[in-house]
Amino acid sequence: MTVCDKCRREAAAFIRYSGVHLCKDHFCEFVEKRVRHELRDQLDLKGGEKIAVAVSGGKDSTVALHLVAEILGKRRNLEICAITVDEGISNYRESSIPIVEQNCRTLGLEHIIVSFRDLYGTTMDEIAAKNRKLSTCSYCGVLRRAAMNRAAKDWNATYLATGLNLDDTAQSILMNFARGDVERLARLGPHEKIQPGLAPRIQPLRRIPESETTLYAMIKGLRFHDLECPYALEALRNSYRKVIIELEDRYPGTRHSIVRSYDLMLPALRGMFPQARLQTCACGEPSLSQKCKACELIESLK
Ligand code: SF4
């Protein structure tokens, strides 16, 4: 991490887990360096790759899109696009899509939009109003992942980049660990092996704390959507978010330690749960069983 006189005089950021003050330029350089490192680590570029970025319009996916375009966009023989899933959440999604469109225009990238209405014949608002067994976010998460995979495959994407940051990653690890879902823990991205029908996920921001993606977006003047989803309060993830924030506050560096420990355990976890052979659901999506989770959920609502 480079530090200059300006960092001491006009610090824009205090990196608590390192005890360092950084000026705007060195803060951005610090973020970009780690993202470059992750992209080098997670991608195997031979030429001709197509990288789709999942962009909701929020700060994390906006920063991911901006950095993937900035770092990889000048390469010849590589294509980048943004994919947005419109879940059909009123007073929320309709205001984020124009922001993504505008950002894609500025970056000169194709923007693909897929909707729950077109794919599943329903919307999250309609699902939320039904008598259902699971939380709204449980339906949304499964349907959105399937929709994103379908759009990435239709575009022939070699990789699908998401905006998951360090906080999200630490939360997912803790959440699956606490639920005893060790198999799912072994399958968290980034994906190293290519599975037929599944665009491998990469996570360029997995080492960048949420507060740093926000600051980066603000310093760079990136336009992002900052409304909260009306169903967000139902998310189980919120409890883990609170725990991680509290731990990080008391013991700076906790999020990094959780992810580092997970990475150390990952080869053993993947040894315990080798990649299963995927089947193809009638909808065309890859699935662990005959019917994919998205089709199961849609049918359960009928
Ligand atoms: Fe979907 Fe829940 Fe996220 Fe809203 S908060 S977009 S319902 S997963």
Side-chain angles (χ1 to χ4, degrees):
M1 188 185 315
T2 317
V3 180
C4 64
D5 274 353
K6 205 167 154 203
C7 290
R8 288 177 207 102
R9 282 196 325 266
E10 303 165 27
F14 174 53
I15 311 297
R16 208 163 154 245
Y17 52 85
S18 305
V20 177
H21 288 91
L22 293 175
C23 67
K24 284 183 188 174
D25 291 346
H26 282 126
F27 169 74
C28 290
E29 191 185 290
F30 179 49
V31 171
E32 288 155 9
K33 207 168 151 186
R34 283 171 292 164
V35 174
R36 247 190 213 102
H37 179 272
E38 280 307 318
L39 287 172
R40 249 198 321 268
D41 237 38
Q42 296 178 33
L43 293 171
D44 181 17
L45 297 180
K46 296 189 175 86
E49 280 77 16
K50 295 182 80 172
I51 302 184
V53 187
V55 188
S56 65
K59 61 188 182 331
D60 298 311
S61 59
T62 301
V63 168
L65 180 69
H66 175 85
L67 284 171
V68 166
E70 175 121 341
I71 296 169
L72 301 173
K74 288 185 198 88
R75 282 177 173 252
R76 279 185 293 152
N77 219 357
L78 186 143
E79 275 180 69
I80 301 168
C81 84
I83 300 177
T84 304
V85 176
D86 179 359
E87 308 91 342
I89 302 174
S90 43
N91 301 319
Y92 177 61
R93 188 54 75 218
E94 66 268 35
S95 53
S96 79
I97 290 176
I99 297 176
V100 186
E101 263 163 2
Q102 172 66 51
N103 284 334
C104 286
R105 260 198 303 278
T106 310
L107 292 166
L109 301 177
E110 183 183 352
H111 182 210
I112 297 162
I113 304 172
V114 282
S115 73
F116 279 13
R117 169 68 75 209
D118 290 344
L119 290 177
Y120 310 118
T122 187
T123 64
M124 268 326 294
D125 286 340
E126 288 170 4
I127 293 174
K130 285 195 182 200
N131 219 339
R132 58 197 152 81
K133 287 198 193 115
L134 304 171
S135 72
T136 320
C137 296
S138 302
Y139 292 91
C140 186
V142 169
L143 299 180
R144 201 171 35 173
R145 265 194 302 279
M148 193 56 82
N149 190 59
R150 207 184 278 207
K153 263 192 324 186
D154 287 348
W155 190 68
N156 288 323
T158 328
Y159 292 99
L160 174 61
T162 66
L164 286 184
N165 59 40
L166 177 69
D167 296 60
D168 301 324
T169 310
Q171 285 157 22
S172 300
I173 294 167
L174 209 60
M175 201 158 77
N176 285 303
F177 193 78
R179 289 199 301 208
D181 199 343
V182 186
E183 185 164 359
R184 188 186 283 235
L185 203 57
R187 302 202 196 293
L188 291 181
H191 296 158
E192 282 169 359
K193 289 194 182 145
I194 296 173
Q195 288 265 71
L198 204 63
R201 308 284 159 107
I202 58 162
Q203 298 163 354
L205 306 183
R206 93 189 274 270
R207 307 233 174 236
I208 314 291
E210 188 172 334
S211 55
E212 291 180 27
T213 60
T214 311
L215 185 58
Y216 185 87
M218 285 161 67
I219 291 176
K220 289 285 177 181
L222 304 180
R223 240 189 111 206
F224 60 87
H225 186 245
D226 56 2
L227 284 184
E228 189 166 59
C229 170
Y231 306 116
L233 285 178
E234 288 185 34
L236 170 71
R237 190 172 272 278
N238 285 331
S239 312
Y240 292 91
R241 178 173 289 127
K242 276 189 209 141
V243 171
I244 299 265
I245 289 175
E246 203 180 314
L247 284 172
E248 183 69 29
D249 198 42
R250 283 204 209 171
Y251 314 109
T254 299
R255 291 165 302 188
H256 288 87
S257 302
I258 292 173
V259 176
R260 223 177 7 250
S261 306
Y262 170 74
D263 286 351
L264 282 174
M265 290 188 301
L266 196 52
L269 289 173
R270 289 194 172 152
M272 280 169 71
F273 298 100
Q275 242 169 14
R277 253 181 88 91
L278 295 179
Q279 306 180 40
T280 307
C281 175
C283 71
E285 280 304 285
S287 167
L288 282 170
S289 48
Q290 225 177 358
K291 192 174 284 180
C292 74
K293 201 90 191 113
C295 285
E296 257 179 38
L297 288 184
I298 291 292
E299 276 174 30
S300 73
L301 291 165
K302 283 179 185 160

